[in-house]
Amino acid sequence: MRLFDFTLKVNGFDINKAKARLSQILLKNDSEFETYIKTSQKDILSYHLQNNSFYKSFGDPIDINNWSTVPILTKQHLQQPIEDRLSNGYTTKNVYLNKTSGSSGNPFIFAKDKWCHAMTWAEIINRFSWYNIDFNTSKQARFYGIPLNKKGYYKERLKDVFSNRYRFSVFDLSDTSFDVAVKKFKHTRFEFINGYTSPIVQFAKYLKRKNIVLKTICPNLKVCIVTSEMLFKDDKVLMEIQFGVPVVNEYGASELDLIAFENTKDEWQVNSETLYVEILDENNRVLPYGEEGRIVITSFYNKAHPFIRYDIGDIGSLSKNSTLKKPILKKLTGRTNDIAVLPSGKKAAGLTFYYITKSVIENDGNVSEFTIVQNTLNEFTINYVSKDELSAEKKALISSEMTNYLEPGIQVLYNRVKVLKRTKAGKLKQFISKV
């Protein structure tokens, strides 16, 4: 039995019909695809202007034939009861409901109609198939968070059973916990790893210390797919060595869909089948391929709730080699609220600080994880987990590098901790600004 597909059907998600629809879209030539995009834009826009009172009041005036007149929807606009944002005919009882993680600082409840959610799963299934993964038969080693309350905990565990996956804790990244994980890999025919980047990186570091290549003890393993947190090049290299399989970078948003997925040519291919992705400047003008700006996304299939020109809160750029049918995500810099403002007024991506520090302190194997907090314009705290206290030499080198890359006058404080604080979902936020 194809249990995963069956579970989707039982919950009202017509996955077979969605797979067939996606196949039709993928077969379109360039000219047909351009028509599909324009038609999909107009259809979803017209639908919500006619059937959604929230969007009608938000979206006036709009010229249905001029996409540039469509306003930008932000997370702040969605900070109101979900009942006030649903389209005619939809209630909280007949839609897929979930809540964003809040990593942007603006969590909210969202809805998808069941056909939209089926199309989301069709897209995910298609992308995973690039690496010969079948959700019905491929056992998943899952590194995700899990609710700690009893009802939420057992609900997720039950979902794991029906989804053919085993969940490892991301809240305990000790060697003792990883010892148990290795035993599980030895005795389970896992075909892929999927989960948050940071705990999987820690697992790879553990394997390096123990001189273990995971595929030698788990020969069915095909691929590792990471999501939700930034993946750095040197971490990817480490994981591919220690796992013995390709490491694939996924970019998605629970309220939308899978946004981009690394293909077998190492290109971060954008989902153009169910989404329309734009890169905009500060004045909401579309930027040409290659230029960096705000990532704004339209969901073609969500009739229950409008996500039309939705500013997801991320900054990135599309490759100059992109086409309408095959956009390529060149760079994902981080979230718009991850920008650090320095004493001079200069702005820098928060991950710049993380990258500078990472290049200094992760080479010797002492520091396993760290995060950076901007307390004031010129004061930053590095919270880190390590075997030994950072040496005065390392601290001086970090301060020096901060000056070299950014500007003089930056003060760095150091706070050694046993465990780094993660979100309730288990994600690790590498940079936080309190300014």
Side-chain angles (χ1 to χ4, degrees), residues 64 69 115 200 214 218 225 229 277 315 344 432 435:
I64 198 78
T69 67
W115 173 241
I200 297 176
L214 198 58
C218 185
I225 298 162
E229 301 167 343
V277 176
I315 300 170
S344 68
I432 299 169
V435 176

Side-chain angles (χ1 to χ4, degrees), residues 69-86:
T69 67
V70 179
I72 307 303
L73 183 67
T74 68
K75 294 176 190 285
Q76 286 78 11
H77 290 127
L78 305 178
Q79 302 293 313
Q80 53 182 286
I82 184 63
E83 292 83 0
D84 297 341
R85 292 181 270 125
L86 293 175

Side-chain angles (χ1 to χ4, degrees), residues 367-382:
V367 176
S368 57
E369 285 189 300
F370 68 96
T371 59
I372 298 178
V373 179
Q374 183 177 16
N375 306 310
T376 64
L377 286 177
N378 68 336
E379 184 184 274
F380 295 80
T381 297
I382 297 175

